[in-house]
Amino acid sequence: MVLHTLELLKKEIPLEEESVCIPEDVTTGLVLVDIINGFCTVGAGNLAPREPNNQILEMINESEKLSSVFCDQKWPVLAFLDTHQPGKLEHPYPSHCLAGSEESDLVPALQWLEKEPNVTIRRKDCYDGYIGSIEEDGSNVFADWVKNNNIQLLLVTGICTDICVLDFVCSTLSARNHGLLAPLQDVVVYSHGCATFDFPAAAARDTKDALAHPQEIMHHMGLYMAKGRGAKVAKNVSFGALKK
């Protein structure tokens, strides 16, 4: 049933992905959205997968590959980590990724990033990394990161495609269009570097206040909506000449 629905969805709202080659003369930043234990590591929390998930595993692997390239080249990387204070729920989801817990830490495959000088770590307490970057004085850590590094192109990976990734991409594009993120020009969402969770309709019917969330369908919708807002959706990413 899900496969039939997915095929129908892709027919009615097809998503054309592109091959993106990032030129060597375009300053590029990598944003990793919430690639943390609480969303990716089996059994790590209320919103973690209950069993190994191929889409999530691919997202981690692809994000690690890109992170390695960016760190080898000393290019800017920003990692958002979903982090909540006890007692401050994020409706409609149960308690998750509490501050000080391993849930809110990067997955083991990416923990090495914390020691890299070109990497900025930003803990956020909401879906949207752009909003979650606002400080008490009104400044924005993400916006300052873009400006201070003269970033022209943003490459985005992470989880969930249709929630935190999409919200961040939409806000970033709106801010760019409003002249708040110069010199940023393009936002690229790498489809294989993104993932979302799977919560079938059958499970949702047995859970109070839960909404069904079929993984492949919602992943497609997240990418489709990002492209509709002005992002490029890449099926593969390559680079111009790299420093050796």
Side-chain angles (χ1 to χ4, degrees):
M1 180 64 180
V2 172
L3 287 176
H4 174 73
T5 303
L6 181 62
E7 292 171 1
L8 178 62
L9 183 70
K10 289 184 175 181
K11 180 180 179 180
E12 293 298 320
I13 50 172
L15 173 66
E16 185 174 346
E17 301 180 42
E18 56 188 290
S19 296
V20 172
C21 180
I22 298 175
E24 59 181 307
D25 60 345
V26 173
T27 304
T28 303
L30 174 65
V31 172
L32 308 170
V33 179
D34 294 341
I35 310 179
I36 58 177
N37 291 316
F39 297 148
C40 303
T41 301
V42 173
N46 288 327
L47 298 184
R50 296 290 182 259
E51 58 187 24
N53 182 280
N54 289 335
Q55 190 184 90
I56 292 175
L57 291 173
E58 181 183 43
M59 177 270 297
I60 294 173
N61 290 336
E62 293 300 313
S63 296
E64 183 182 15
K65 290 177 186 176
L66 288 173
S67 296
S68 295
V69 172
F70 273 73
C71 288
D72 287 345
Q73 300 297 310
K74 307 302 180 187
W75 294 340
V77 177
L78 189 150
F80 286 120
L81 311 184
D82 196 58
T83 306
H84 300 276
Q85 297 301 318
K88 295 183 69 175
L89 294 179
E90 190 174 41
H91 185 76
Y93 299 104
S95 176
H96 62 279
C97 303
L98 297 182
S101 72
E102 292 186 356
E103 282 187 61
S104 65
D105 291 339
L106 286 165
V107 297
L110 291 176
Q111 287 181 2
W112 59 272
L113 288 172
E114 297 174 357
K115 298 179 181 179
E116 295 295 320
N118 61 306
V119 176
T120 298
I121 303 291
R122 175 64 183 185
R123 294 188 178 275
K124 63 180 180 66
D125 62 354
C126 61
Y127 308 120
D128 187 336
Y130 188 93
I131 299 299
S133 293
I134 298 174
E135 299 279 49
E136 290 185 3
D137 63 3
S139 62
N140 189 296
V141 172
F142 165 68
D144 290 344
W145 176 77
V146 169
K147 295 172 185 177
N148 292 339
N149 289 287
N150 294 309
I151 293 172
Q152 299 165 282
L153 186 150
L154 205 63
L155 181 60
V156 183
T157 71
I159 191 168
C160 292
T161 319
D162 55 312
I163 306 174
C164 293
V165 172
L166 179 62
D167 283 7
F168 166 70
V169 167
C170 288
S171 291
T172 297
L173 290 167
S174 292
R176 179 206 64 181
N177 294 345
H178 203 59
L180 300 177
L181 287 176
L184 183 65
Q185 297 176 16
D186 295 312
V187 176
V188 177
V189 180
Y190 176 37
S191 61
H192 296 288
C194 292
T196 192
F197 67 93
D198 192 30
F199 195 59
R205 283 193 293 268
D206 297 331
T207 307
K208 184 180 179 181
D209 297 329
L211 295 175
H213 192 277
Q215 185 179 48
E216 293 294 339
I217 291 175
M218 300 311 294
H219 179 66
H220 178 85
M221 288 302 301
L223 296 172
Y224 183 85
M225 295 299 290
K227 185 166 185 176
R229 294 298 190 275
K232 295 181 179 179
V233 176
K235 59 185 176 182
N236 51 62
V237 177
S238 60
F239 301 89
L242 297 175
K243 298 176 184 177
K244 296 183 179 180

